[in-house]
């Protein structure tokens, strides 16, 4: 039997989004001869996704996946990575910028309130829209359109005149079919999972409005209590686990492009001027965010600069 | 619920009767708030449908608002429901018991509830406390969640008081089964349960239904 | 002791507590909390274990209750309570009598139609039986029906309420198994009508054979049409729910609604009708009070059981039961029938909602696995249904089993209610009268087992 068992709280089924944790569990067990067992509990069996940080804080489980935007006030510093139009080109860049932010003392302090620290990112691609009806030729055509977009992307869509309408993820398909909303913003795997591809006729291929930030966190006490060789096994496996995640996620696109083809979904590309105009709309959102952070005593400008400089070099 | 003659017990346990009365008033108030919140939810949803369909004006954050407000009608009536015996249970074995044996079984049942409710008051208080001191907000429009989380320990505390009262109510019957049961839900056999359902279906105003 | 063994023992404790009459919601929460304490204590010592368990359990009531899809429940319950004041029962029965009275057993057939119609606004089976016992039985007796038949048709007709939408119990099922609430609601419609149809065939057959249910004549076509407007709110509620869930284009406006919104709009329609029928503020207050009470009861049951389910998650019990069911050597369909039979037996002793919330967390994953998993396609499944279809199919069947138990001894509450409303009819007589309807239900269930598409076709259109 194992000397140390860690429970991991995850929502949903096993999928590309959770493959780095699966990989980690397998390799850590291998490296420690089965003495360090990482047990993954899917489907919110251990906690509702929104309450994973709570469970971590009092040690009900040792590891969990969280998404910053599910509860912005629980982890305000991480939401810097969810601001619209940061200019993240691909998942590699997302990993790089995420890891730089995790190292910032303000972020560490933020998560330490939950007795938590980040182990690794679960990089998510840009939340482009799938919609039906007349395809928007420019962002102006979003005016008056009811869209499903949460948090920062929702703010951006309001700024360009769209009408963010709340619909739960699982109801999105039906909401689009019945016209409650005309477009929805998700990562490609979620567009597939929630079947928006079946009711959509267009996809904003290069709008790239932003994404969500979903790291895997661990309970700091449990991490520190690990025997040295176990901790080493864990730490050393993380980079390979992230690589494995990227490789698995790439396969989502193997399904994604043919799916768009097959369903005749028009790929909309906005012009450079249009995109620049969109980015200009995001500027006040950045300012507001920095103001909010200042009010909390968090160096928002510093975090945003860190993001820009990391992506710039 | 049966309302037995209270005169003998008023002399025997006056404070108990008074405590019951005060508590019942608070419980009624809480249930009234819960009832009102259901009415408001209904109207808000109607506004949401019409606003979205005809004016292209959905209520911003409708789901967030609904979810946080749900704590009102999911918890505030909980003590009232316990007082009137509304939480379901299986009465097949209980219905066979009489006298002291029945009161001991009832006491045991309430005691189990009391234990778990005390544990949950502690746990839900910390759930509220984290959202208050560290922070938590809803996904769409960023409403703070602590007010809604605070409702849970408050409503459960009211329930715990009701349970204490019921424990005393059964205790005095265990001590002397000849006493009149007071302020405790009484077990109904299936015919009484049917009678109860009939009363519920027709309300107090018979002519309303038969009109 | 392993967590799994703790799970098994505590589940046994739960059964005992429920059996000795501890209120189900709290018995489940108590067992869940105690189980968490044991499991965490084994991991981290008693003191820290207790505190961790309390904090873990303390997150469940709020986080599990405050869920948008559950907000539909009070709206449906409110519809049911307001429907009494909207005077729908009398008008429904009146219309049904005028349209169907001409055939042998016509008044009984009309009663089935009227109860089915009323069921469309009320999710409450027992209350439906109570109301129609008063409205329909006297009229049937007046034209020479036997007491046995008149009473039984009302008791049995009431059971349609949980299948025909709106139905709170189908919402609870959908939430517990994380299936679409809208699809479950829509799925109940055809099986509800199908159940009613089988009842009608049985009634007409018996009436022709036994002659204890004479036809009534003398209504004109203008009588018949004049009776229709009173039934309008029923159609309005059904239309709001159907059209809302499916979505429609009204002159360029896209009308669509979530279950909560549809329920709220339905309640609003019935509320307005009730005010027109002379409902006063005090009665609205009473209806709201009753709605609040029933709502808190159901929510407490849900989160209480989910504390227990959280503990099962840490103990790994559902996985083990699933493996056991899947490993059974006989035909999967036979296993399914045995599971349903077990529900029929269980339903004789505990009410429908309690039965569902207590058993589904363990039984449902096993049923899904039996069919080949939640994501299985119809072609790869063992029962010939996709994972989603199987989940909907099972839900309707389980609810039908629970409804069946409302007309079987020893605690078939519908029969007691009818007998209670009619002091002149002994309950044994009602139970005896229900035997043909029990047979009808067995035929219905057989049909649903053999032809799952009766259940799954309509939701697959959504
Ligand atoms: Na119904
Ligand atoms: Na009787």
């Amino acid at each position: 039997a194992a000397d140390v068992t860690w429970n991991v709280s995850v929502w949903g089924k096993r999928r590309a989004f959770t493959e780095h944790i699966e990989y980690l569990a397998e390799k850590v067990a291998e490296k420690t001869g089965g003495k360090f067992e990482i047990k993954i509990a899917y489907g919110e069996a251990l906690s509702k996704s929104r309450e994973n940080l709570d469970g971590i804080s009092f040690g009900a489980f040792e590891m969990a996946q969280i998404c910053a935007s599910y509860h912005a006030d629980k982890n305000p510093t991480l939401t810097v990575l969810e601001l619209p139009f940061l200019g993240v080109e691909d998942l590699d860049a997302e990993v790089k910028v995420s890891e730089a932010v995790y190292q910032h003392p303000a972020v560490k302090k933020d998560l330490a309130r939950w007795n938590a620290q980040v182990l690794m990112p679960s990089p998510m691609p840009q939340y482009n829209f799938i919609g039906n009806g007349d395809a928007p030729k420019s962002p102006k055509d979003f005016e008056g359109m009811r869209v499903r977009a949460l948090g920062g992307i929702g703010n951006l869509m309001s700024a360009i005149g769209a009408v963010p309408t709340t619909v739960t993820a699982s109801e999105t398909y039906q909401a689009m079919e019945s016209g409650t909303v005309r477009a929805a913003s998700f990562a490609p795997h979620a567009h597939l999972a929630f079947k928006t591809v079946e009711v959509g006729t267009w996809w904003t291929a290069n709008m790239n409005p932003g994404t969500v930030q979903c790291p895997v966190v661990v309970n700091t006490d449990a991490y520190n209590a690990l025997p040295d060789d176990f901790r080493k096994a864990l730490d050393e496996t993380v980079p390979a686990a992230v690589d494995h995640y990227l490789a698995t996620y790439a396969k989502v696109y193997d399904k994604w492009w043919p799916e768009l083809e097959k369903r005749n979904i028009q790929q909309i590309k906005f012009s450079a001027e249009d995109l620049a105009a969109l980015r200009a709309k995001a500027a006040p959102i950045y300012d507001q965010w920095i103001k909010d952070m200042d009010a909390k005593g968090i160096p928002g400008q510093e975090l945003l600069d860190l993001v820009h400089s990391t992506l710039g070099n | 619920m049966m309302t037995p003659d209270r005169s003998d017990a008023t002399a025997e346990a006056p404070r108990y009767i008074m405590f019951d009365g005060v508590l019942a008033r608070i419980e009624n108030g809480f249930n009234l708030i819960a009832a009102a919140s259901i009415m408001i939810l209904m109207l808000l949803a109607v506004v949401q449908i019409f606003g979205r369909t005809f004016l292209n004006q959905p209520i911003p954050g409708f789901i967030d608002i609904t979810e946080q407000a749900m704590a009102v009608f999911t918890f505030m009536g909980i003590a009232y429901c316990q007082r009137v015996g509304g939480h379901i249970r299986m009465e097949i074995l209980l219905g066979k018991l009489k006298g002291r044996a029945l009161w001991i079984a009832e006491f045991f049942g309430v005691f189990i509830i009391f234990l778990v409710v005390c544990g949950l008051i502690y746990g839900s208080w910390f759930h509220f406390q984290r959202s208050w001191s560290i922070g938590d907000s809803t996904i769409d429009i960023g409403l703070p969640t602590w007010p809604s989380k605070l409702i849970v320990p408050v409503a459960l505390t009211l329930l715990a008081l009701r349970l204490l009262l019921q424990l005393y109510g059964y205790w005095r019957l265990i001590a002397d089964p000849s006493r009149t049961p007071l302020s405790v839900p009484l077990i109904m056999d299936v015919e009484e349960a049917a009678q109860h359902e009939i009363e519920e279906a027709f309300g107090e105003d018979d002519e309303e239904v038969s009109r | 002791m392993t967590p799994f063994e703790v799970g098994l023992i505590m589940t046994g404790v739960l059964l005992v507590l429920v059996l000795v009459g501890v209120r189900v919601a709290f018995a489940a929460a108590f067992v869940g909390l105690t189980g968490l304490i044991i499991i965490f204590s084994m991991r981290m010592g008693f003191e820290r274990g207790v505190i961790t368990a309390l904090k873990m359990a303390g997150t469940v009531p709020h986080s599990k209750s405050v869920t948008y899809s559950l907000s539909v429940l009070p709206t449906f319950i409110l519809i049911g309570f307001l429907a009494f004041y909207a005077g729908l029962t009398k008008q429904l029965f009146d219309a049904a009598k005028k349209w169907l009275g001409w055939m042998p057993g016509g008044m009984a057939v009309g009663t089935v139609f009227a109860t089915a119609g009323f069921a469309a606004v009320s999710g409450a089976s027992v209350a439906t039986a109570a109301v129609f016992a008063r409205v329909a039985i006297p009229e049937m007796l007046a034209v020479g029906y036997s007491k046995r038949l008149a009473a039984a048709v009302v008791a049995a007709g009431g059971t349609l309420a949980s299948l025909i939408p709106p139905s709170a119990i189908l919402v609870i099922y959908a939430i517990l198994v994380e299936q679409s609430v809208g699809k479950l609601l829509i799925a109940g419609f055809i099986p509800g009508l199908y159940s009613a149809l089988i009842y009608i065939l049985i009634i007409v057959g018996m009436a022709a054979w036994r002659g204890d249910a004479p036809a009534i004549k003398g209504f004109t076509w203008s009588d018949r049409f004049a009776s229709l407007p009173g039934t309008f709110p029923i159609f309005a509620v059904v239309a709001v729910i159907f059209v809302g869930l499916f979505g429609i284009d009204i002159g360029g406006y896209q009308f669509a609604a979530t279950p909560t919104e549809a329920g709220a709009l339905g309640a609003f329609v019935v509320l307005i009708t009730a005010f027109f029928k002379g409902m006063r503020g005090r009665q609205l207050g009473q209806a709201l009070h009753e709605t609040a009470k029933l709502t808190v009861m159901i929510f407490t049951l849900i989160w209480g059981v989910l504390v227990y389910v959280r503990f099962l998650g840490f103990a790994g019990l559902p996985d083990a039961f699933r493996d056991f069911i899947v490993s059974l050597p006989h035909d999967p369909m036979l296993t399914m029938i045995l599971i349903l039979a077990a529900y029929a037996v269980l339903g004789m002793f505990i009410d429908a909602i309690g039965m569902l919330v207590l058993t589904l967390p363990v039984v449902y994953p096993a049923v899904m696995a039996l069919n080949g998993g939640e994501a299985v396609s119809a072609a790869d499944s063992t029962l010939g249904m996709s994972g989603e279809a199987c989940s909907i199919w099972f839900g309707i069947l389980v609810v039908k089993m629970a409804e069946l138990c409302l007309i079987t001894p020893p605690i078939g509450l519908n029969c007691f209610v009818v007998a209670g409303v009619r002091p002149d009819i002994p309950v044994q007589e009602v139970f005896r009268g229900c035997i043909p309807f029990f047979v009808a239900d067995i035929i219905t269930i057989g049909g649903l087992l053999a032809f799952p598409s009766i259940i799954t076709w309509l939701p697959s259109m959504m």
Side-chain angles (χ1 to χ4, degrees):
Chain A
D3 293 345
V4 175
T5 303
W6 273 18
N7 287 312
V8 190
S9 173
V10 174
W11 66 92
K13 300 179 174 63
R14 181 174 173 173
R15 59 206 188 280
F17 187 55
T18 57
E19 276 308 298
H20 51 340
I21 310 175
E22 286 283 350
Y23 182 91
L24 196 70
E26 189 191 321
K27 295 297 170 190
V28 165
E30 249 171 50
K31 285 186 183 172
T32 59
K35 296 282 182 203
F36 182 10
E37 184 192 17
I38 295 176
K39 263 168 74 180
I40 307 169
Y42 288 98
E44 302 193 319
L46 307 188
S47 167
K48 205 167 160 177
S49 60
R50 279 188 46 82
E51 320 288 353
N52 270 345
L53 273 176
D54 297 72
I56 288 281
S57 76
F58 51 80
F61 36 82
E62 289 76 16
M63 193 189 290
Q65 198 168 27
I66 61 168
C67 282
S69 54
Y70 287 10
H71 34 57
D73 283 352
K74 281 184 176 174
N75 40 227
T77 56
L78 288 176
T79 58
V80 70
L81 292 161
E82 300 187 334
L83 287 171
F85 293 116
L86 290 176
V88 180
E89 302 229 313
D90 53 24
L91 291 190
D92 290 316
E94 182 72 27
V95 171
K96 201 169 119 193
V97 69
S98 300
E99 283 175 346
V101 168
Y102 300 158
Q103 293 309 316
H104 195 284
V107 176
K108 292 194 167 173
K109 194 174 142 202
D110 191 11
L111 288 172
R113 301 179 305 154
W114 297 99
N115 196 10
Q117 62 190 64
V118 176
L119 186 69
M120 57 184 175
S122 321
M124 292 280 267
Q126 293 289 309
Y127 267 41
N128 278 301
F129 284 86
I130 275 192
N132 53 27
D134 295 336
K137 292 186 193 65
S138 86
K140 280 199 182 60
D141 294 334
F142 275 107
E143 219 161 286
M145 188 191 293
R146 287 194 298 270
V147 297
R148 182 206 190 258
L150 303 175
I153 302 176
N155 291 340
L156 175 82
M157 297 312 285
S158 297
I160 66 172
V163 185
T165 304
T166 45
V167 177
T168 60
S170 53
E171 280 170 345
T172 308
Y173 168 85
Q174 212 191 321
M176 278 182 67
E177 195 182 38
S178 62
T180 307
V181 298
R182 263 189 59 204
S185 141
F186 282 119
H189 77 270
H191 276 306
L192 292 171
F194 296 120
K195 300 194 290 185
T196 47
V197 283
E198 293 177 23
V199 281
T201 54
W202 47 265
W203 185 58
T204 60
N206 72 341
M207 187 174 174
N208 294 343
T211 186
V212 297
Q213 171 56 221
C214 304
V216 175
V217 298
V218 295
N219 173 293
T220 303
D221 292 343
Y223 178 80
N224 291 335
L226 283 178
D228 287 344
D229 50 333
F230 287 7
R231 192 175 329 120
K232 189 158 162 263
L234 184 69
D235 287 342
E236 283 180 359
T237 314
V238 163
V242 174
D243 286 344
H244 178 76
Y245 177 101
L246 294 174
T248 317
Y249 207 97
K251 285 184 201 141
V252 171
Y253 283 97
D254 294 348
K255 262 203 235 157
W256 178 245
W257 303 118
E259 190 76 16
L260 292 186
E261 291 273 303
K262 189 180 93 190
R263 300 191 178 274
N264 257 327
I265 290 174
Q266 188 187 346
Q267 297 194 34
I268 300 164
K269 294 219 162 117
F270 293 138
S271 69
E273 301 87 78
D274 280 342
L275 290 176
L278 268 178
R279 244 170 260 132
K281 295 274 189 196
I285 296 173
Y286 288 15
D287 293 343
Q288 184 60 48
W289 184 82
I290 290 167
K291 237 199 246 161
D292 292 347
M293 291 303 119
D294 285 346
K296 292 181 164 70
I298 292 166
Q301 186 67 55
E302 207 179 305
L303 284 168
L304 189 58
D305 290 346
L306 173 64
V307 168
H308 284 313
S309 66
T310 308
L311 290 170
N313 56 35
Chain B
M1 205 170 88
M2 261 169 65
T3 41
D5 176 32
R6 290 177 162 229
S7 50
D8 63 326
T10 319
E12 170 217 326
R15 284 211 190 86
Y16 169 58
I17 303 277
M18 201 181 76
F19 186 39
D20 176 44
V22 173
L23 206 56
R25 210 166 293 163
I26 302 173
E27 287 161 350
N28 290 349
F30 270 38
N31 198 53
L32 191 70
I33 296 171
S37 75
I38 292 173
M39 182 80 179
I40 292 167
L41 165 75
M42 180 191 82
L43 296 176
L44 190 72
V46 172
V47 170
Q48 162 80 344
I49 299 175
F50 280 95
R52 188 184 58 214
T53 307
F54 299 109
L55 309 171
N56 202 25
Q57 284 285 304
I59 296 169
F62 175 70
I63 294 180
D64 283 9
I65 296 169
T66 306
E67 288 196 340
Q68 294 307 303
M70 282 175 77
V72 176
F73 61 72
T74 50
F75 295 103
M76 289 193 74
I78 195 168
Y80 170 85
C81 191
Q82 175 67 21
R83 180 178 93 218
V84 300
H87 294 291
I88 59 162
R89 63 170 172 182
M90 231 172 112
E91 295 187 334
I92 290 235
L93 283 184
L94 223 48
K96 302 254 181 290
L97 300 179
K98 290 254 154 14
R100 186 169 276 141
L102 174 63
W103 304 129
I104 290 174
E106 291 276 24
F107 184 91
F108 170 77
V110 175
F111 188 63
I112 293 279
I113 305 180
F114 182 71
L115 287 180
V116 66
V117 166
C118 286
L120 289 172
I121 291 172
Y122 177 89
S124 62
W125 170 261
F126 277 94
H127 195 50
F128 151 73
Q129 218 263 336
R130 282 188 302 274
S131 65
W132 166 259
S133 62
I134 311 185
D136 184 23
S137 52
T138 61
I139 183 166
D140 192 16
I141 55 168
L143 295 172
T145 63
W146 64 261
S148 151
K149 285 181 178 171
L150 179 58
I151 292 176
V152 183
V154 170
L156 289 181
T157 302
L158 188 63
L159 173 60
L161 292 176
R162 168 57 56 191
L163 293 168
L164 274 179
L165 195 93
Q166 292 186 343
L167 283 176
Y168 178 78
Y170 288 123
W171 181 256
R172 56 182 277 283
L173 293 170
I174 295 171
D176 179 1
S178 71
R179 286 171 175 165
T180 313
L182 266 182
S183 308
V184 287
L186 295 177
I187 195 160
M188 296 184 286
D189 64 23
V190 64
E191 276 150 43
E192 284 163 347
Q195 201 53 46
H196 185 71
E197 289 282 348
I198 293 162
E199 281 160 19
E200 297 232 311
F202 295 125
E204 288 162 19
D205 294 328
D206 250 351
E207 79 283 351
E208 286 305 317
V209 190
S210 46
R211 183 182 49 197
Chain C
M1 212 164 33
T2 65
F4 172 71
E5 286 160 351
V6 178
L8 221 52
I9 292 168
M10 292 314 290
T11 300
V13 172
L14 175 57
L15 290 181
V16 172
L17 289 183
V18 169
L19 213 66
V20 301
V22 181
R23 301 196 183 266
V24 178
F26 298 103
F30 175 81
V31 164
L33 179 56
T34 312
L36 284 171
I37 289 176
I38 296 173
I39 284 188
F40 284 128
S41 295
M42 292 189 318
R43 276 177 72 91
M44 48 185 89
F46 182 68
E47 208 167 312
R48 264 194 68 207
V50 171
I51 290 184
T52 308
L54 290 176
K55 288 182 172 176
M56 173 40 66
T59 65
V60 174
H62 185 272
S63 81
K64 288 293 185 177
S65 306
V66 173
T67 302
Y68 179 70
S69 48
L70 278 172
S71 63
V72 62
L73 285 172
T75 68
F76 282 3
I77 296 169
L78 185 58
I79 292 178
F81 279 115
L82 287 175
F84 295 108
Y85 297 107
L88 294 175
T89 47
K90 193 99 177 141
Q91 284 159 332
L92 262 174
F93 181 70
D94 191 50
K97 177 178 72 184
K98 286 173 178 157
W99 283 86
L100 300 162
W102 54 270
M103 56 170 130
M107 287 263 274
V109 172
T111 303
V112 170
F113 264 95
T115 48
F118 189 70
V121 291
S122 158
S125 301
V126 182
T128 303
V131 173
F132 278 92
R134 192 170 286 191
V135 173
I137 292 179
E139 298 215 27
M140 284 190 270
L141 297 187
V143 296
Y145 275 48
S146 72
K147 281 181 181 171
R148 185 186 290 187
L149 175 63
V153 72
V154 167
T159 67
L160 298 169
S162 289
L163 286 178
I164 297 174
S167 155
I169 194 162
L170 283 173
V171 174
I172 293 168
Y173 175 87
I175 303 286
L176 285 175
V177 308
E178 296 177 343
Q179 187 53 259
S180 152
V181 171
K183 286 194 176 179
L184 253 303
L185 288 177
I186 293 297
F189 190 68
I190 295 180
L193 292 188
Y194 165 62
S195 284
L197 182 74
I198 304 283
Y199 282 172
I200 288 165
L201 291 179
I202 293 267
I203 291 168
V204 174
M206 282 194 314
W209 174 47
R210 290 211 301 240
D212 63 349
I216 47 170
K217 303 246 157 45
F219 294 114
T220 66
W221 282 103
S222 64
D223 286 341
R224 286 178 184 150
F225 283 105
S227 71
L228 287 183
T231 63
F232 161 77
I234 303 278
F235 293 102
V237 168
V238 174
V240 160
I241 288 174
F242 261 76
V243 174
L245 294 180
F246 277 96
I248 195 177
D249 187 318
I250 321 169
Y253 293 108
Q254 303 296 325
F255 171 77
T258 63
T260 301
E261 292 164 358
L265 195 54
F268 190 67
V269 170
V270 179
L271 176 70
I272 299 295
T273 314
F275 272 128
F276 269 106
K277 292 278 165 191
M279 182 182 72
R280 290 173 300 246
R282 199 173 62 78
Q283 293 158 327
L284 173 62
Q286 200 181 323
L288 282 170
H289 227 62
E290 289 299 319
T291 304
K293 185 178 112 192
L294 194 53
T295 301
V296 80
M297 185 279 269
I298 291 175
F299 272 92
T300 307
L301 197 55
I302 290 174
W303 66 249
V305 166
L306 289 175
V307 172
Y308 164 68
V309 171
R310 176 62 48 83
F311 153 66
L312 290 183
F314 278 93
L317 194 67
D319 297 352
F321 183 72
R322 179 194 61 205
D323 295 345
F324 162 74
I325 288 287
V326 172
S327 73
L328 289 178
H330 37 256
D331 183 52
M333 191 49 116
L334 180 60
T335 310
M336 273 298 307
I337 292 171
L338 291 176
I339 290 174
L340 289 173
Y343 270 107
V345 173
L346 201 56
M348 291 179 186
F349 302 98
I350 186 167
D351 89 320
I353 296 176
M355 173 171 98
L356 287 197
V357 297
L358 278 178
T359 57
L360 284 177
V362 176
V363 173
Y364 177 77
V367 167
M368 284 293 101
L370 193 63
N371 186 45
E374 299 208 23
V376 74
S377 70
D380 297 336
S381 67
T382 50
L383 298 173
M385 280 172 278
S386 72
E388 185 187 71
C390 179
S391 139
I392 293 170
W393 176 74
F394 182 65
I396 299 296
L397 276 169
V398 168
V399 169
K400 182 73 196 169
M401 300 314 285
E403 293 296 282
L404 174 64
C405 298
L406 287 172
I407 56 166
T408 57
I411 60 161
L413 201 51
N414 275 17
C415 296
F416 280 97
V417 162
V418 171
V421 173
R422 301 289 310 188
D424 54 323
I425 306 176
V427 68
Q428 297 82 352
E429 193 71 4
V430 189
F431 274 122
R432 221 166 281 140
C434 278
I435 292 171
F437 295 99
F438 178 81
V439 173
D441 278 339
I442 298 296
I443 295 171
T444 303
I445 291 162
L448 297 176
L449 282 169
F451 306 104
S453 55
I454 297 173
I455 294 170
T456 58
W457 174 74
L458 199 55
S460 76
M461 297 288 105
M462 285 179 79

